[in-house]
Amino acid sequence: MTPRTSISARSFIIGSLATALTLTACGNNTQPQSASPTVSASASATATPTPTPTAAYKPADAKGKAENVPIPVLPEAAKANSKEGVEAFARYWFQALSYAYETGDVRVLKQTTGPNCVLCTALQEAITVAWTDGKWIVGGRIETPVVVGKYRDGGGSPQTTVQAIQQLIEIRRADGTLYQDPTKASNRGMQLVATFSANGWTVIDLGLIY
Amino acid sequence: MRPVRSLSAGSLVLSFLVAIPGTADAKGTESPVIIGLEENGVNVGSSKWIRDPQSGEFVPAPPNFVSDDPNQYKADLQCQVDQDSLAKKCLPGQLQCPPREAGGKPGTAVIWKVAPKSVSNPVWTDWTPNGSGPSCLYDEKPEDLLPKIAARIESDFRNLPIKPAELRAQPSPHTLKGAETNIFADAVEQQFDVTILGQRVHIVATPVEYTYAYGDGNSLGPTPFAGGPIPEEQWAKRRERAMCINRPVTFSCP
């Protein structure tokens, strides 16, 4: 039996296909060099009570995990419900995220992160997965050279604009081999939304700025 | 509300299979991990922010927002240490940029820098799209070149041999009168290397929206969803929920 009638796919046309362009390279790239970002580590501007390190900090490399990574400590300034307070808190929160990348320990980060922050949760899960089965992360440190808070008295949850610069990230297997292709360094504007309660600041949303 | 009409050949249902970004497979220890901060921001469907042109403040982006390049770029001389001085030690090892054609001007060794547009007085980092290191710029004023390329890129892009999306139907090539038909677009990312104003430019063309014209004056879209193939046992099922998000006037929605 033949179909009595048919709608041929030919009668449908695709009208338009809009396209996004990405400009990704210019000129000659003839001299490869390190792909790490050029930003160096800098201490927080405010007086941060950093614990006295008992042994020297050593970043991770292909041979082993980072050693003696200083645990971020919430600065006094970050406990204030003010513009300066939320800015100090945002800097601290990214330090805690950076610490999680370097150590696989997301507990510090969790303490100041709300459960509904989609990106925060995804990052915690990704870091945890990257550190399973004896794997470790090389790089991934985050610097926040620019932090600008928007705070209004009694005006809801303040938003903070953060420039987050992250180093190239390698995931190394227990035997030191690369688990996957390295993730490129990034330099991105991000928006962090925090809320203040009796327990201090908590991140309730985080997203990229386009 | 628009009246519901039906096509003479029977009703059709479009399928829009929305891909849900996969979280890492707990068991598959060898599955790749989306690990980067920016990478996760792009992939997990978290909030997106844009600068409101009126207030100048950052506000959540609308749902169908198609992102522009969030970055700004500049070219620094390879051996420049600050605005006024060059590192003399760097000069002997500097990338050589001889003229590209006889009688042409030599180029300048530069390092491209990138920073987010959204941040005032940002810190610039080396831009490393494909490898890194210095490149040659063949223009007297390097900083003027990128806007020129940007201005040219749309017209040049239209002349590229871009393969159009193909229309697929399930079942195919014929569908039954009165039966459901799954229609979707099959479009792929395409890459081109072109030369614009003497600079080699790598273009990645990514399909971002689709418009379906049904040939009877009706159309659907633009929509960000291409749809996709579905298992044969599901061909007969209507996928009404997804369809009604887009409310095409030709089709009946519950």
Side-chain angles (χ1 to χ4, degrees), chain B residues 105-108 137-145 148 199:
Chain B
K105 284 183 289 186
T108 312
L137 199 53
Y138 289 89
D139 192 273
E140 278 184 352
K141 290 184 177 174
E143 67 274 19
D144 291 347
L145 198 63
K148 281 189 208 161
Q199 298 296 309

Side-chain angles (χ1 to χ4, degrees), chain B residues 42-209:
Chain B
V42 171
N43 276 283
V44 299
S46 61
S47 59
K48 289 179 172 183
W49 299 80
I50 52 169
R51 193 188 286 274
D52 179 43
Q54 256 122 49
S55 68
E57 295 190 13
F58 293 109
V59 294
N64 285 336
F65 167 73
V66 176
S67 63
D68 196 2
D69 186 344
N71 296 323
Q72 50 183 330
Y73 305 89
K74 66 171 181 179
D76 277 0
L77 295 177
Q78 187 190 347
C79 294
Q80 194 152 29
V81 282
D82 58 45
Q83 272 198 318
D84 304 314
S85 52
L86 293 172
K88 289 200 178 100
K89 278 186 188 168
C90 166
L91 289 170
Q94 186 171 247
L95 176 66
Q96 296 304 305
C97 301
R100 281 187 167 168
E101 53 216 39
K105 284 183 289 186
T108 312
V110 297
I111 293 177
W112 285 96
K113 300 277 184 178
V114 64
K117 276 193 265 194
S118 54
V119 176
S120 309
N121 302 317
V123 169
W124 294 80
T125 51
D126 286 0
W127 190 48
T128 58
N130 297 308
S132 61
S135 20
C136 288
L137 199 53
Y138 289 89
D139 192 273
E140 278 184 352
K141 290 184 177 174
E143 67 274 19
D144 291 347
L145 198 63
L146 204 60
K148 281 189 208 161
I149 291 177
R152 275 274 303 273
I153 204 162
E154 191 175 347
S155 60
D156 284 30
F157 177 70
R158 293 193 187 286
N159 294 324
L160 290 174
I162 295 164
K163 190 169 154 276
E166 287 184 24
L167 189 75
R168 306 251 186 252
Q170 289 176 318
S172 175
H174 301 296
T175 60
L176 287 169
K177 181 179 181 181
E180 314 300 347
T181 302
N182 176 36
I183 299 290
F184 59 95
D186 189 0
V188 293
E189 185 180 282
Q190 294 165 62
Q191 305 202 10
F192 303 90
D193 288 296
V194 296
T195 302
I196 300 177
L197 301 172
Q199 298 296 309
R200 283 203 277 277
V201 177
H202 182 68
I203 294 176
V204 181
T206 312
V208 293
E209 60 183 35

